[in-house]
Amino acid sequence: MADLTDTVAGPFASLALITPMLLAAQGLAPHAESAGRIVVDVFIVLTVLLGGWLTGQWIYGPLVLDHLHPGYFLPTVAGGLLAAASAAEVGQQRLAQVMLGLGLVCWLILGSMILARLLFRPRLATPLVPTLAIEVAPAAVASLAYFAIDGDRVDAFAAGLAGYGLLMVLAQLRLLPLFRSLKFTPSTWSFTFSWAAVGAVTLHWIESGRPAGHLTYTYLVLAAVSALVGAVAVRTLIALGRRQLLPKPPPQAAGSAADN
């Protein structure tokens, strides 16, 4: 409960529900359709309930503007859009459309607030700087959800999402000096999901247009995303081995634990 009500860590709790929802849609449903649909629906319900509870908690809080960070996209924006994609994967089109609406509207509202905080308030605390990579994710995840609902068709709406996504990808180039100065922290995983989503959308566009050498481009995208995820995974294992992954408790708390 302390994590859920924490204004910094709270949004990340939603990943505990979003991840199994995706696994059920893409890993279970193709082999056991009925079981996959049931598991997807259960985690969609839980994702929406948690998103609603967190939204209420943020209203009740209230929030401090400087605590706002791109991780706030996760419960309702990523949750809603990935729920849309998952529902479409198991053949529930109307539910997918409802979840798409939830995710898109939350993206418009939260996106404007988060961007205003990033533009006009002091820089994020260093451990949260990697969450800036999440800024590329909403347009990419919205595209994936839309493709899942609309049958992988590139139309005007998909092109519009790609336009904003391109802007956010290019903005990340200016942030490279900041990213290069960071030490490894658990929030470094923000890069993996965000850029994997961008890579997946890029593959859709490559497949749709099939430019000359499209197979080469496909392999390059897959190799880049795999290298990124693999590097972060290896670095995580190293940090675990060195007991550096999670912050150490304050000396007083450590002393109290020893006394108990």
Side-chain angles (χ1 to χ4, degrees):
M1 184 56 67
D3 286 342
L4 287 175
T5 56
D6 187 276
T7 55
V8 174
F12 296 102
S14 59
L15 294 173
L17 302 178
I18 294 172
T19 302
M21 178 174 64
L22 288 175
L23 291 174
Q26 299 181 8
L28 178 60
H31 305 285
E33 183 177 353
S34 297
R37 184 181 296 112
I38 291 171
V39 175
V40 165
D41 287 349
V42 167
F43 280 101
I44 286 177
V45 170
L46 293 175
T47 297
V48 173
L49 288 175
L50 180 60
W53 187 89
L54 285 171
T55 300
Q57 172 62 26
W58 299 338
I59 296 170
Y60 178 83
L63 286 178
V64 176
L65 181 60
D66 287 354
H67 288 178
L68 200 63
H69 57 76
Y72 274 74
F73 282 131
L74 296 175
T76 54
V77 181
L81 295 175
L82 291 173
S86 298
E89 290 281 349
V90 297
Q92 296 179 318
Q93 288 293 104
R94 187 63 70 195
L95 176 59
Q97 292 165 357
V98 171
M99 292 296 100
L100 180 67
L102 186 155
L104 288 176
V105 173
C106 289
W107 175 24
L108 292 174
I109 296 171
L110 288 171
S112 60
M113 293 191 294
I114 292 170
L115 196 57
R117 182 262 178 268
L118 295 176
L119 290 175
F120 300 112
R121 297 298 301 162
R123 183 179 293 175
L124 291 172
T126 300
L128 288 173
V129 168
T131 65
L132 292 173
I134 300 175
E135 285 291 321
V136 305
V141 179
S143 296
L144 294 174
Y146 185 67
F147 286 142
I149 293 171
D150 202 42
D152 291 332
R153 186 167 58 93
V154 175
D155 57 14
F157 186 70
L161 291 173
Y164 183 77
L166 177 62
L167 174 67
M168 290 294 101
V169 168
L170 293 175
Q172 297 281 304
L173 298 177
R174 181 61 183 88
L175 298 174
L176 284 177
L178 180 60
F179 292 152
R180 292 178 61 184
S181 67
L182 296 173
K183 295 181 180 179
F184 180 84
T185 63
S187 60
T188 305
W189 278 94
S190 300
F191 289 96
T192 60
F193 166 76
S194 304
W195 286 101
V198 171
V201 173
T202 303
L203 293 178
H204 275 279
W205 277 85
I206 292 173
E207 179 62 23
S208 174
R210 287 183 169 265
H214 65 277
L215 287 178
T216 300
Y217 299 143
T218 297
Y219 295 142
L220 287 174
V221 171
L222 290 172
V225 172
S226 298
L228 173 63
V229 176
V232 175
V234 169
R235 189 61 185 84
T236 301
L237 293 175
I238 293 173
L240 278 171
R242 295 176 178 175
R243 298 186 178 181
Q244 297 173 342
L245 184 63
L246 300 176
K248 296 180 180 179
Q252 183 177 1
S256 299
D259 292 340
N260 292 335

Coordinates of all heavy atoms in Angstrom, one line a residue, residues 100-184:
L100 N -9.2 1.3 -26.3 CA -8.4 2.3 -27.1 C -8.9 3.7 -26.7 O -8.0 4.6 -26.6 CB -8.7 2.0 -28.6 CG -8.0 3.0 -29.5 CD1 -6.5 2.8 -29.5 CD2 -8.5 2.8 -31.0
G101 N -10.2 3.9 -26.5 CA -10.6 5.2 -26.1 C -10.1 5.6 -24.8 O -9.7 6.8 -24.6
L102 N -10.1 4.7 -23.8 CA -9.6 5.0 -22.5 C -8.1 5.4 -22.6 O -7.7 6.4 -22.0 CB -9.7 3.7 -21.6 CG -9.3 3.9 -20.1 CD1 -10.1 2.8 -19.3 CD2 -7.8 3.7 -19.9
G103 N -7.3 4.7 -23.3 CA -5.9 5.0 -23.4 C -5.6 6.3 -24.1 O -4.7 7.1 -23.7
L104 N -6.3 6.5 -25.2 CA -6.1 7.8 -26.0 C -6.4 9.0 -25.2 O -5.7 10.0 -25.2 CB -6.9 7.7 -27.3 CG -6.4 6.7 -28.4 CD1 -7.3 6.7 -29.6 CD2 -4.9 7.1 -28.8
V105 N -7.6 9.0 -24.6 CA -8.0 10.2 -23.8 C -7.0 10.4 -22.6 O -6.6 11.6 -22.4 CB -9.5 10.1 -23.3 CG1 -9.8 11.2 -22.4 CG2 -10.4 10.0 -24.5
C106 N -6.7 9.4 -21.9 CA -5.7 9.6 -20.8 C -4.3 10.1 -21.4 O -3.7 10.8 -20.7 CB -5.5 8.2 -20.1 SG -7.0 7.8 -19.1
W107 N -4.0 9.6 -22.6 CA -2.7 10.1 -23.2 C -2.8 11.6 -23.4 O -1.9 12.3 -23.1 CB -2.5 9.3 -24.4 CG -1.3 9.8 -25.2 CD1 -0.2 10.5 -24.8 CD2 -1.1 9.7 -26.7 NE1 0.7 10.8 -25.8 CE2 0.2 10.3 -27.0 CE3 -1.8 9.1 -27.7 CZ2 0.7 10.3 -28.3 CZ3 -1.3 9.1 -29.0 CH2 -0.1 9.7 -29.3
L108 N -3.9 12.1 -24.0 CA -4.1 13.5 -24.2 C -4.0 14.3 -22.9 O -3.3 15.4 -22.9 CB -5.4 13.7 -24.9 CG -5.5 13.2 -26.4 CD1 -6.9 13.4 -26.9 CD2 -4.5 13.9 -27.3
I109 N -4.6 13.8 -21.9 CA -4.7 14.6 -20.6 C -3.4 14.5 -19.9 O -2.8 15.6 -19.6 CB -5.8 14.0 -19.7 CG1 -7.2 14.3 -20.4 CG2 -5.8 14.7 -18.4 CD1 -8.3 13.6 -19.7
L110 N -2.9 13.3 -19.7 CA -1.6 13.2 -18.9 C -0.4 13.7 -19.7 O 0.5 14.2 -19.2 CB -1.4 11.7 -18.5 CG -2.3 11.2 -17.4 CD1 -2.2 9.7 -17.3 CD2 -2.0 11.8 -16.1
G111 N -0.5 13.4 -21.0 CA 0.7 13.9 -21.9 C 0.9 15.4 -21.8 O 2.0 15.8 -21.7
S112 N -0.2 16.1 -21.8 CA 0.0 17.6 -21.7 C 0.5 18.0 -20.4 O 1.4 18.9 -20.3 CB -1.4 18.3 -22.0 OG -2.3 17.9 -21.0
M113 N 0.1 17.4 -19.3 CA 0.6 17.7 -18.0 C 2.0 17.3 -17.8 O 2.8 18.1 -17.2 CB -0.3 17.1 -16.9 CG -1.7 17.6 -16.9 SD -2.6 17.0 -15.4 CE -2.7 15.3 -15.7
I114 N 2.4 16.1 -18.2 CA 3.7 15.7 -18.1 C 4.7 16.5 -18.9 O 5.8 16.9 -18.4 CB 3.9 14.2 -18.5 CG1 3.1 13.3 -17.5 CG2 5.3 13.7 -18.5 CD1 2.9 11.9 -17.9
L115 N 4.3 16.8 -20.1 CA 5.2 17.6 -20.9 C 5.4 19.1 -20.4 O 6.5 19.6 -20.4 CB 4.7 17.7 -22.4 CG 5.6 18.2 -23.5 CD1 6.9 17.3 -23.5 CD2 5.0 18.2 -24.8
A116 N 4.3 19.6 -19.8 CA 4.4 20.9 -19.2 C 5.3 20.9 -18.0 O 6.1 21.8 -17.8 CB 3.0 21.4 -18.8
R117 N 5.2 19.8 -17.2 CA 6.2 19.7 -16.1 C 7.6 19.6 -16.5 O 8.5 20.2 -16.0 CB 5.8 18.4 -15.3 CG 6.6 18.2 -14.0 CD 7.7 17.2 -14.3 NE 8.6 17.0 -13.2 CZ 9.7 17.6 -12.9 NH1 10.1 18.6 -13.8 NH2 10.5 17.4 -11.9
L118 N 7.9 18.8 -17.6 CA 9.2 18.6 -18.1 C 9.8 19.9 -18.7 O 11.0 20.2 -18.6 CB 9.3 17.5 -19.1 CG 8.9 16.1 -18.6 CD1 8.9 15.1 -19.8 CD2 9.9 15.6 -17.6
L119 N 8.9 20.7 -19.3 CA 9.3 21.9 -20.0 C 9.6 23.1 -19.0 O 10.6 23.8 -19.1 CB 8.3 22.4 -21.0 CG 8.1 21.5 -22.2 CD1 7.0 22.0 -23.1 CD2 9.4 21.5 -23.1
F120 N 8.8 23.2 -18.0 CA 8.8 24.4 -17.2 C 9.2 24.2 -15.7 O 9.3 25.2 -15.0 CB 7.4 25.1 -17.2 CG 6.9 25.4 -18.6 CD1 5.9 24.8 -19.2 CD2 7.6 26.4 -19.3 CE1 5.5 25.1 -20.5 CE2 7.2 26.8 -20.5 CZ 6.1 26.1 -21.1
R121 N 9.5 23.0 -15.3 CA 9.9 22.8 -13.9 C 11.3 22.2 -13.9 O 11.8 21.9 -14.9 CB 8.9 21.8 -13.2 CG 7.5 22.3 -13.1 CD 7.4 23.6 -12.2 NE 8.0 23.3 -10.9 CZ 8.4 24.3 -10.1 NH1 8.3 25.5 -10.4 NH2 8.8 24.0 -8.9
P122 N 11.9 22.1 -12.7 CA 13.3 21.6 -12.7 C 13.4 20.2 -13.2 O 12.4 19.4 -13.3 CB 13.6 21.6 -11.2 CG 12.7 22.7 -10.6 CD 11.5 22.6 -11.4
R123 N 14.6 19.8 -13.6 CA 14.9 18.5 -14.2 C 14.5 17.4 -13.2 O 14.5 17.6 -12.0 CB 16.4 18.4 -14.6 CG 16.7 17.1 -15.3 CD 18.2 17.0 -15.6 NE 18.5 18.0 -16.6 CZ 19.8 18.3 -17.1 NH1 20.8 17.6 -16.5 NH2 20.0 19.2 -18.0
L124 N 14.1 16.3 -13.8 CA 13.7 15.1 -13.0 C 14.9 14.7 -12.1 O 16.1 14.9 -12.5 CB 13.3 13.9 -13.8 CG 12.0 14.0 -14.6 CD1 11.9 12.9 -15.6 CD2 10.8 14.0 -13.7
A125 N 14.6 14.1 -10.9 CA 15.7 13.5 -10.1 C 16.4 12.5 -10.9 O 15.8 11.8 -11.8 CB 15.1 12.9 -8.9
T126 N 17.7 12.3 -10.7 CA 18.6 11.5 -11.5 C 18.0 10.1 -11.7 O 18.0 9.5 -12.8 CB 20.0 11.5 -10.9 OG1 20.5 12.8 -10.9 CG2 20.9 10.6 -11.8
P127 N 17.6 9.4 -10.6 CA 17.1 8.0 -10.9 C 15.8 7.9 -11.8 O 15.5 6.9 -12.3 CB 16.7 7.5 -9.4 CG 17.5 8.4 -8.5 CD 17.6 9.7 -9.2
L128 N 15.1 9.1 -12.0 CA 14.0 9.1 -12.8 C 14.2 9.6 -14.2 O 13.4 9.5 -15.1 CB 12.9 10.0 -12.2 CG 12.2 9.4 -11.0 CD1 11.3 10.4 -10.4 CD2 11.4 8.1 -11.3
V129 N 15.4 10.0 -14.5 CA 15.8 10.5 -15.8 C 15.5 9.5 -16.9 O 15.0 9.8 -18.0 CB 17.2 11.1 -15.9 CG1 17.7 11.4 -17.3 CG2 17.3 12.4 -15.1
P130 N 15.9 8.2 -16.7 CA 15.6 7.2 -17.8 C 14.1 7.1 -18.2 O 13.8 6.7 -19.3 CB 16.1 5.9 -17.1 CG 17.1 6.3 -16.2 CD 16.6 7.6 -15.6
T131 N 13.2 7.6 -17.3 CA 11.8 7.5 -17.6 C 11.5 8.5 -18.8 O 10.4 8.4 -19.4 CB 10.9 7.8 -16.4 OG1 11.0 9.1 -16.0 CG2 11.2 6.8 -15.3
L132 N 12.4 9.4 -19.1 CA 12.1 10.3 -20.2 C 12.0 9.4 -21.5 O 11.4 9.9 -22.5 CB 13.3 11.3 -20.4 CG 13.4 12.3 -19.3 CD1 14.7 13.1 -19.4 CD2 12.2 13.2 -19.3
A133 N 12.6 8.3 -21.6 CA 12.5 7.4 -22.7 C 11.0 7.0 -23.0 O 10.6 6.7 -24.1 CB 13.3 6.1 -22.6
I134 N 10.2 7.0 -21.9 CA 8.8 6.6 -22.0 C 8.0 7.6 -22.9 O 6.9 7.2 -23.4 CB 8.1 6.5 -20.6 CG1 8.9 5.4 -19.8 CG2 6.7 6.1 -20.7 CD1 8.4 5.2 -18.4
E135 N 8.6 8.8 -23.1 CA 7.9 9.8 -24.0 C 7.7 9.2 -25.4 O 6.8 9.7 -26.1 CB 8.6 11.1 -24.0 CG 8.5 11.9 -22.7 CD 7.1 12.5 -22.5 OE1 6.5 12.9 -23.6 OE2 6.6 12.5 -21.4
V136 N 8.5 8.3 -25.8 CA 8.3 7.8 -27.2 C 7.3 6.7 -27.2 O 6.8 6.3 -28.3 CB 9.7 7.2 -27.8 CG1 10.8 8.3 -27.7 CG2 10.1 5.9 -27.0
A137 N 6.8 6.2 -26.1 CA 6.0 5.0 -26.1 C 4.5 5.2 -26.4 O 3.9 4.4 -27.1 CB 6.1 4.3 -24.7
P138 N 3.9 6.3 -25.9 CA 2.4 6.4 -26.2 C 2.0 6.3 -27.6 O 1.1 5.6 -28.0 CB 2.0 7.7 -25.5 CG 3.0 7.9 -24.4 CD 4.3 7.4 -25.0
A139 N 2.7 7.1 -28.5 CA 2.3 7.0 -29.9 C 2.6 5.7 -30.5 O 1.8 5.2 -31.3 CB 3.1 8.1 -30.7
A140 N 3.7 5.0 -30.1 CA 4.0 3.7 -30.6 C 3.0 2.6 -30.1 O 2.5 1.8 -30.9 CB 5.4 3.3 -30.2
V141 N 2.6 2.7 -28.8 CA 1.7 1.7 -28.3 C 0.3 2.0 -28.9 O -0.5 1.0 -29.1 CB 1.7 1.7 -26.8 CG1 0.7 0.7 -26.2 CG2 3.1 1.4 -26.2
A142 N -0.1 3.2 -29.0 CA -1.4 3.5 -29.6 C -1.4 3.0 -31.1 O -2.4 2.5 -31.5 CB -1.6 5.0 -29.6
S143 N -0.3 3.1 -31.8 CA -0.2 2.6 -33.2 C -0.4 1.0 -33.1 O -1.2 0.5 -34.0 CB 1.1 2.9 -33.8 OG 1.2 4.3 -33.9
L144 N 0.2 0.4 -32.2 CA 0.1 -1.1 -32.1 C -1.3 -1.5 -31.8 O -1.8 -2.5 -32.4 CB 1.1 -1.6 -31.1 CG 2.6 -1.5 -31.4 CD1 3.4 -2.0 -30.2 CD2 2.9 -2.3 -32.6
A145 N -1.9 -0.8 -30.9 CA -3.3 -1.1 -30.6 C -4.2 -0.8 -31.8 O -5.1 -1.7 -32.1 CB -3.8 -0.2 -29.4
Y146 N -4.0 0.2 -32.5 CA -4.8 0.6 -33.6 C -4.6 -0.5 -34.7 O -5.6 -0.9 -35.4 CB -4.5 2.0 -34.1 CG -5.4 2.4 -35.3 CD1 -6.7 2.7 -35.1 CD2 -4.9 2.6 -36.5 CE1 -7.6 3.1 -36.1 CE2 -5.7 3.1 -37.6 CZ -7.0 3.3 -37.4 OH -7.8 3.7 -38.4
F147 N -3.4 -0.9 -35.0 CA -3.1 -1.9 -36.0 C -3.8 -3.2 -35.6 O -4.4 -3.9 -36.5 CB -1.6 -2.2 -36.1 CG -0.9 -1.1 -36.8 CD1 0.4 -0.7 -36.4 CD2 -1.5 -0.4 -37.9 CE1 1.1 0.3 -37.1 CE2 -0.8 0.6 -38.6 CZ 0.5 0.9 -38.2
A148 N -3.8 -3.6 -34.3 CA -4.5 -4.8 -33.9 C -6.0 -4.8 -34.1 O -6.6 -5.8 -34.5 CB -4.2 -5.1 -32.4
I149 N -6.6 -3.6 -33.9 CA -8.0 -3.4 -34.1 C -8.4 -3.4 -35.5 O -9.4 -3.9 -36.0 CB -8.5 -2.2 -33.3 CG1 -8.4 -2.4 -31.8 CG2 -10.0 -1.9 -33.7 CD1 -8.6 -1.1 -31.0
D150 N -7.6 -2.6 -36.3 CA -7.9 -2.3 -37.7 C -7.3 -3.2 -38.7 O -7.3 -2.9 -39.9 CB -7.5 -0.9 -38.0 CG -8.3 -0.3 -39.1 OD1 -9.5 -0.5 -39.2 OD2 -7.7 0.4 -40.0
G151 N -6.7 -4.3 -38.3 CA -6.1 -5.3 -39.2 C -4.8 -4.9 -39.9 O -4.6 -5.1 -41.1
D152 N -3.9 -4.2 -39.1 CA -2.6 -3.8 -39.6 C -2.7 -2.9 -40.8 O -1.7 -2.8 -41.6 CB -1.8 -5.1 -40.0 CG -1.4 -5.9 -38.8 OD1 -1.3 -5.3 -37.7 OD2 -1.3 -7.1 -38.9
R153 N -3.8 -2.1 -40.9 CA -3.9 -1.2 -42.1 C -3.3 0.1 -41.8 O -3.7 0.7 -40.7 CB -5.4 -1.1 -42.5 CG -5.6 -0.3 -43.8 CD -7.1 -0.6 -44.2 NE -8.0 -0.2 -43.2 CZ -8.6 1.0 -43.1 NH1 -8.3 2.0 -44.0 NH2 -9.5 1.3 -42.1
V154 N -2.5 0.7 -42.6 CA -1.9 2.0 -42.4 C -2.9 3.0 -43.1 O -3.0 3.0 -44.4 CB -0.5 2.1 -43.0 CG1 0.0 3.6 -43.0 CG2 0.5 1.2 -42.3
D155 N -3.5 3.8 -42.3 CA -4.4 4.8 -42.9 C -4.1 6.2 -42.3 O -3.0 6.4 -41.7 CB -5.9 4.5 -42.6 CG -6.2 4.3 -41.1 OD1 -5.3 4.7 -40.3 OD2 -7.2 3.7 -40.7
A156 N -5.0 7.2 -42.5 CA -4.7 8.5 -42.0 C -4.4 8.6 -40.5 O -3.5 9.4 -40.1 CB -5.8 9.5 -42.5
F157 N -5.2 7.9 -39.8 CA -5.0 8.0 -38.3 C -3.7 7.4 -37.9 O -3.0 7.9 -37.1 CB -6.2 7.3 -37.6 CG -6.2 7.4 -36.1 CD1 -6.4 8.6 -35.5 CD2 -5.9 6.3 -35.3 CE1 -6.4 8.7 -34.1 CE2 -5.8 6.4 -33.9 CZ -6.1 7.6 -33.3
A158 N -3.4 6.2 -38.5 CA -2.1 5.6 -38.2 C -0.9 6.5 -38.6 O 0.1 6.6 -37.9 CB -2.0 4.3 -38.9
A159 N -1.1 7.2 -39.7 CA 0.0 8.1 -40.2 C 0.1 9.3 -39.2 O 1.2 9.8 -38.9 CB -0.4 8.6 -41.6
G160 N -1.0 9.8 -38.7 CA -1.0 10.9 -37.7 C -0.3 10.5 -36.4 O 0.5 11.2 -35.9
L161 N -0.5 9.3 -35.9 CA 0.2 8.8 -34.7 C 1.7 8.7 -35.0 O 2.5 9.0 -34.2 CB -0.4 7.4 -34.4 CG -1.8 7.3 -33.8 CD1 -2.2 5.9 -33.6 CD2 -1.9 8.1 -32.5
A162 N 2.0 8.2 -36.2 CA 3.4 8.1 -36.6 C 4.1 9.5 -36.6 O 5.3 9.6 -36.3 CB 3.6 7.4 -38.0
G163 N 3.4 10.5 -37.0 CA 4.0 11.8 -37.1 C 4.4 12.3 -35.7 O 5.5 12.8 -35.5
Y164 N 3.5 12.2 -34.7 CA 3.9 12.6 -33.3 C 4.9 11.7 -32.8 O 5.9 12.1 -32.1 CB 2.6 12.5 -32.4 CG 3.0 13.0 -31.0 CD1 3.1 14.4 -30.8 CD2 3.1 12.1 -30.0 CE1 3.4 14.8 -29.5 CE2 3.4 12.6 -28.7 CZ 3.6 13.9 -28.5 OH 3.9 14.4 -27.2
G165 N 4.8 10.4 -33.1 CA 5.9 9.4 -32.6 C 7.2 9.8 -33.2 O 8.3 9.8 -32.4
L166 N 7.3 10.2 -34.4 CA 8.6 10.6 -35.0 C 9.2 11.9 -34.3 O 10.4 11.9 -34.0 CB 8.4 11.0 -36.5 CG 9.6 11.5 -37.2 CD1 10.7 10.5 -37.2 CD2 9.2 11.9 -38.7
L167 N 8.3 12.8 -33.9 CA 8.8 14.0 -33.2 C 9.4 13.6 -31.8 O 10.5 14.1 -31.5 CB 7.6 14.9 -32.9 CG 7.9 16.1 -32.0 CD1 8.8 17.1 -32.7 CD2 6.6 16.8 -31.6
M168 N 8.8 12.7 -31.1 CA 9.3 12.2 -29.8 C 10.6 11.4 -30.0 O 11.5 11.5 -29.1 CB 8.2 11.4 -29.1 CG 7.0 12.2 -28.6 SD 7.5 13.4 -27.3 CE 7.5 15.0 -28.3
V169 N 10.7 10.6 -31.0 CA 11.9 9.9 -31.3 C 13.1 10.9 -31.5 O 14.2 10.7 -31.0 CB 11.8 8.9 -32.4 CG1 13.1 8.4 -32.9 CG2 10.8 7.8 -32.0
L170 N 12.8 11.9 -32.3 CA 13.9 12.9 -32.7 C 14.2 13.7 -31.4 O 15.4 14.0 -31.2 CB 13.4 13.8 -33.8 CG 13.2 13.1 -35.1 CD1 12.6 14.1 -36.1 CD2 14.5 12.6 -35.7
A171 N 13.3 14.0 -30.6 CA 13.6 14.7 -29.3 C 14.5 13.9 -28.4 O 15.3 14.5 -27.7 CB 12.3 15.0 -28.6
Q172 N 14.5 12.6 -28.5 CA 15.4 11.8 -27.7 C 16.8 12.0 -28.1 O 17.7 11.8 -27.2 CB 15.0 10.3 -27.8 CG 13.6 9.9 -27.3 CD 13.6 9.8 -25.8 OE1 14.3 9.1 -25.2 NE2 12.6 10.6 -25.2
L173 N 17.1 12.4 -29.3 CA 18.5 12.6 -29.8 C 19.1 13.7 -28.9 O 20.3 13.6 -28.6 CB 18.5 12.9 -31.3 CG 18.0 11.8 -32.2 CD1 18.0 12.3 -33.6 CD2 18.8 10.6 -32.1
R174 N 18.4 14.7 -28.6 CA 18.9 15.8 -27.9 C 19.2 15.4 -26.4 O 20.0 16.1 -25.7 CB 17.9 17.0 -27.9 CG 18.4 18.3 -27.1 CD 19.7 18.8 -27.7 NE 20.2 19.9 -26.9 CZ 21.0 19.8 -25.9 NH1 21.4 18.6 -25.5 NH2 21.4 20.9 -25.3
L175 N 18.5 14.3 -26.0 CA 18.7 13.9 -24.6 C 19.9 12.9 -24.5 O 20.2 12.5 -23.3 CB 17.4 13.2 -24.1 CG 16.2 14.1 -24.0 CD1 14.9 13.3 -23.7 CD2 16.4 15.3 -23.1
L176 N 20.5 12.5 -25.6 CA 21.5 11.5 -25.5 C 22.7 11.9 -24.5 O 23.2 11.1 -23.8 CB 22.1 11.2 -26.9 CG 21.2 10.4 -27.8 CD1 21.8 10.2 -29.2 CD2 21.0 9.0 -27.2
P177 N 23.2 13.2 -24.5 CA 24.2 13.5 -23.6 C 23.8 13.3 -22.1 O 24.6 12.9 -21.3 CB 24.5 15.0 -23.9 CG 24.0 15.2 -25.3 CD 22.9 14.3 -25.5
L178 N 22.5 13.6 -21.9 CA 22.0 13.3 -20.5 C 21.9 11.9 -20.2 O 22.4 11.4 -19.1 CB 20.6 14.0 -20.4 CG 19.9 13.8 -19.0 CD1 20.7 14.5 -17.9 CD2 18.5 14.5 -19.1
F179 N 21.5 11.1 -21.1 CA 21.4 9.6 -20.9 C 22.8 9.0 -20.7 O 22.9 8.1 -19.9 CB 20.7 8.9 -22.1 CG 19.2 9.3 -22.2 CD1 18.5 9.3 -23.4 CD2 18.4 9.6 -21.1 CE1 17.2 9.6 -23.5 CE2 17.1 9.9 -21.2 CZ 16.5 9.9 -22.4
R180 N 23.7 9.5 -21.5 CA 25.1 8.9 -21.4 C 25.7 9.1 -20.1 O 26.7 8.4 -19.7 CB 25.9 9.4 -22.5 CG 25.5 9.0 -23.9 CD 26.4 9.6 -25.0 NE 27.8 9.2 -24.8 CZ 28.8 9.7 -25.6 NH1 28.5 10.6 -26.5 NH2 30.0 9.3 -25.4
S181 N 25.3 10.1 -19.3 CA 25.9 10.5 -18.0 C 25.3 9.7 -16.9 O 25.8 9.8 -15.7 CB 25.7 12.0 -17.7 OG 24.4 12.3 -17.5
L182 N 24.3 8.9 -17.2 CA 23.6 8.2 -16.1 C 24.3 6.9 -15.6 O 24.9 6.2 -16.4 CB 22.1 7.8 -16.6 CG 21.2 9.0 -16.9 CD1 19.9 8.4 -17.5 CD2 20.9 9.8 -15.7
K183 N 24.1 6.6 -14.4 CA 24.5 5.3 -13.9 C 23.3 4.3 -14.0 O 22.2 4.8 -14.1 CB 24.9 5.4 -12.4 CG 26.2 6.2 -12.2 CD 26.6 6.3 -10.7 CE 27.8 7.1 -10.5 NZ 28.2 7.2 -9.1
F184 N 23.6 3.0 -14.0 CA 22.5 2.1 -14.1 C 21.6 2.1 -12.8 O 22.1 2.0 -11.7 CB 23.1 0.7 -14.3 CG 22.0 -0.4 -14.5 CD1 21.4 -0.6 -15.7 CD2 21.6 -1.1 -13.4 CE1 20.4 -1.6 -15.8 CE2 20.6 -2.1 -13.5 CZ 20.0 -2.3 -14.8

